[in-house]
Amino acid sequence: MKDTHPDMEERFFRMILERSAEERLRMGFEMNAMVRRLVTASILQDNPEASDEEIKIGIFRRFYGNDLPPEIAEKMRFEEDKRKIVNRPTKP
């Protein structure tokens, strides 16, 4: 969906290009940090008890999961399943 008028889109890009390379790079880093915070919040909303490792895996999957070759995605699933089995709580 594209709901931005072409004139406004052009104006926006001109404003961005008027900034220095350092400012544009800083903006990119800030946007990346914001997206990571949003993804982390989403992961924690689904699983409030998620460990740091589970959060890192979740972020990786959200960012790169659809771009991974199938054999690597399958290996990641296998490794995650192994961790779940090893870390499964024991019954009292």
Side-chain angles (χ1 to χ4, degrees):
M1 181 174 104
K2 194 167 186 176
D3 61 355
T4 305
H5 190 279
D7 292 342
M8 291 306 294
E9 186 173 27
E10 182 181 334
R11 182 176 176 194
F12 173 76
F13 284 123
R14 266 185 303 172
M15 287 173 49
I16 296 296
L17 292 175
E18 287 172 359
R19 295 176 181 255
S20 70
E22 181 181 335
E23 287 176 303
R24 292 193 310 265
L25 183 61
R26 187 171 356 99
M27 288 171 60
F29 285 136
E30 289 170 357
M31 286 186 269
N32 181 274
M34 174 60 74
V35 169
R36 288 179 69 86
R37 287 192 298 271
L38 289 170
V39 169
T40 299
S42 172
I43 291 166
L44 289 171
Q45 185 175 17
D46 292 343
N47 180 7
E49 304 298 321
S51 67
D52 287 344
E53 182 179 4
E54 290 170 322
I55 292 170
K56 288 177 186 176
I57 290 169
I59 291 170
F60 183 86
R61 283 210 169 132
R62 300 259 180 108
F63 283 7
Y64 307 109
N66 294 333
D67 297 326
L68 292 175
E71 61 276 6
I72 293 176
E74 182 57 37
K75 182 175 181 181
M76 284 183 67
R77 278 190 291 281
F78 176 75
E79 292 297 326
E80 185 175 2
D81 289 344
K82 278 193 336 189
R83 269 194 304 279
K84 286 179 184 176
I85 292 169
V86 169
N87 296 325
R88 183 178 298 151
T90 58
K91 294 182 182 180

